[in-house]
Amino acid sequence: MHRKYIAVTGLLTLIILFAGLFNLLTSLNHKQTTQLINETSKIQKVVQQNKNQQTQVFASKQPNVSAATTQLDKLFNLDWTLSDQSAFDARAKAMTPFVTEDVVKNSLDFKPDPDKTMTQTGVSMTYDHMDFLPVSASNEEVTAKVVVFAKSRLKDAPEATTRYVYDVSYNPKNNKITKLDRLGNYQLQSDSSVL
């Protein structure tokens, strides 16, 4: 009986010791994790502040590039936010104030859709963002390559990102886009398991 009591007491002591050690390690890990999260948050704030400062400096040194970026962002939001066929059909009229007559006549983005593609496919799209890559900038013209990122959804299929590549020109004097040539597109699945 005495041996059983000593064995049970020893076993309970070991369990308590291991539980305390586990608790100590867990609390240290929790403290380290919390500290790491706080440090990461501080670094992200500093990076964002630096990015904002760089954007302000860039905008002040390159106001024409900044203006072109602003106009193109507005244009592509109208161009690639399409909930249905009627939105697709109305986009050319909505985009016209941002571009010259030559763009309206020549750009693929202003061509009508007699096949009613969006109705047939049931797809909807949302403009996400663009990457603006300036080629040249002066007081007369800003030229660039632009990659537009649009999210598309098709019923039960996973969301996909399509990238549209453009050659663009912008006239700072009349605040209009003078060239909008879509060079092509490519699509990425958001589900990485297919890659």
Side-chain angles (χ1 to χ4, degrees):
M1 183 80 165
H2 185 59
R3 286 185 182 174
K4 284 185 179 178
Y5 177 73
I6 292 174
V8 170
T9 306
L11 184 59
L12 286 174
T13 305
L14 281 175
I15 290 173
I16 291 170
L17 181 63
F18 281 125
L21 184 60
F22 178 76
N23 190 23
L24 177 65
L25 290 174
T26 304
S27 68
L28 284 177
N29 192 17
H30 178 71
K31 287 179 184 176
Q32 290 172 341
T33 302
T34 303
Q35 184 180 7
L36 184 61
I37 289 170
N38 289 338
E39 289 174 10
T40 303
S41 179
K42 288 177 187 176
I43 290 170
Q44 286 175 335
K45 286 179 185 177
V46 169
V47 167
Q48 187 60 42
Q49 287 172 346
N50 287 344
K51 186 177 178 183
N52 290 343
Q53 288 173 347
Q54 288 173 349
T55 301
Q56 289 172 351
V57 168
F58 183 74
S60 69
K61 292 186 183 275
Q62 294 287 336
N64 294 335
V65 171
S66 181
T69 304
T70 300
Q71 284 298 89
L72 284 162
D73 193 54
K74 291 176 187 175
L75 178 83
F76 289 130
N77 190 40
L78 294 168
D79 199 1
W80 294 112
T81 301
L82 306 167
S83 56
D84 54 22
Q85 187 67 44
S86 63
F88 187 92
D89 294 339
R91 76 180 183 164
K93 184 177 181 181
M95 295 187 309
T96 300
F98 297 95
V99 300
T100 61
E101 281 297 315
D102 284 345
V103 172
V104 172
K105 289 177 188 173
N106 299 319
S107 176
L108 288 174
D109 295 39
F110 285 84
K111 301 295 181 210
D113 179 22
D115 299 324
K116 305 295 181 197
T117 306
M118 294 196 71
T119 300
Q120 288 185 38
T121 61
V123 71
S124 64
M125 300 183 80
T126 306
Y127 170 70
D128 190 52
H129 71 284
M130 71 173 182
D131 287 343
F132 184 84
L133 310 164
V135 174
S136 66
S138 69
N139 288 331
E140 279 74 41
E141 184 179 55
V142 175
T143 61
K145 298 272 191 211
V146 177
V147 181
V148 175
F149 295 76
K151 304 278 186 188
S152 59
R153 286 164 300 289
L154 179 61
K155 297 180 187 173
D156 296 333
E159 183 178 78
T161 299
T162 303
R163 296 175 182 175
Y164 297 94
V165 183
Y166 288 87
D167 267 337
V168 298
S169 296
Y170 167 78
N171 183 328
K173 292 185 179 185
N174 67 10
N175 196 29
K176 297 228 182 209
I177 292 141
T178 58
K179 180 180 180 184
L180 187 68
D181 291 347
R182 189 176 347 146
L183 304 177
N185 62 16
Y186 57 101
Q187 189 169 340
L188 297 176
Q189 291 290 92
S190 60
D191 180 7
S192 62
S193 66
V194 254
L195 300 177

